[in-house]
Amino acid sequence: MKYMLIKTYSTAAFCDTPIHEWQPEEIQAHIDFQRALGEQLAKSGELVDAQGLADPGQACTVSSDGRSAPVITDGPFPETKEFLAGYWIIDVDSPERAVEIAAQASAAPGPGGKPIGEYIEVRPVMSAPPTEL
């Protein structure tokens, strides 16, 4: 069963200090935690992919009618209070294991090395519909 664990940049359960206000060593510890989790999941064979994403100021939104030039809207998006910061795609044996990994990710360190309680969304990856009915 594949799941996407979605990491959103927003206030966490136990930390409301924005990461840009953390000390450099606290940011490094947070990044090191993320890398170690990725290595652990790769070693266990559960990691499909994991990526951190650039901030919304580097994003754009594209829409198209399929006939004319696409419409591209640039960021930043000042009305955005939270945004997708990264994700893991995991392949695990059960929904309970997906939740266990999400809980581990949620406990990433923040200021003072304390777990921040990030909100990690656990969402099943849908399989493709059958090609023959």
Side-chain angles (χ1 to χ4, degrees), residues 22-128:
W22 296 7
Q23 296 300 312
E25 62 273 11
E26 294 168 337
I27 295 171
Q28 189 60 54
H30 187 82
I31 292 168
D32 291 346
F33 175 92
Q34 303 298 334
R35 286 187 179 136
L37 178 58
E39 290 169 6
Q40 172 193 337
L41 295 173
K43 187 176 180 180
S44 70
E46 296 171 307
L47 182 67
V48 175
D49 189 30
Q51 299 293 325
L53 301 175
D55 69 85
Q58 299 178 50
C60 67
T61 301
V62 178
S63 65
S64 175
D65 63 7
R67 296 182 299 275
S68 53
V71 176
I72 302 169
T73 306
D74 294 329
F77 310 100
E79 69 280 359
T80 301
K81 293 187 174 111
E82 59 183 49
F83 57 86
L84 182 61
Y87 65 88
W88 297 266
I89 297 185
I90 56 173
D91 192 350
V92 295
D93 292 332
S94 68
E96 292 80 15
R97 178 62 181 143
V99 168
E100 182 180 316
I101 294 168
Q104 186 177 357
S106 175
K114 296 177 183 173
I116 61 175
E118 284 187 278
Y119 296 105
I120 307 293
E121 181 178 344
V122 178
R123 188 179 299 183
V125 175
M126 292 176 51
S127 60

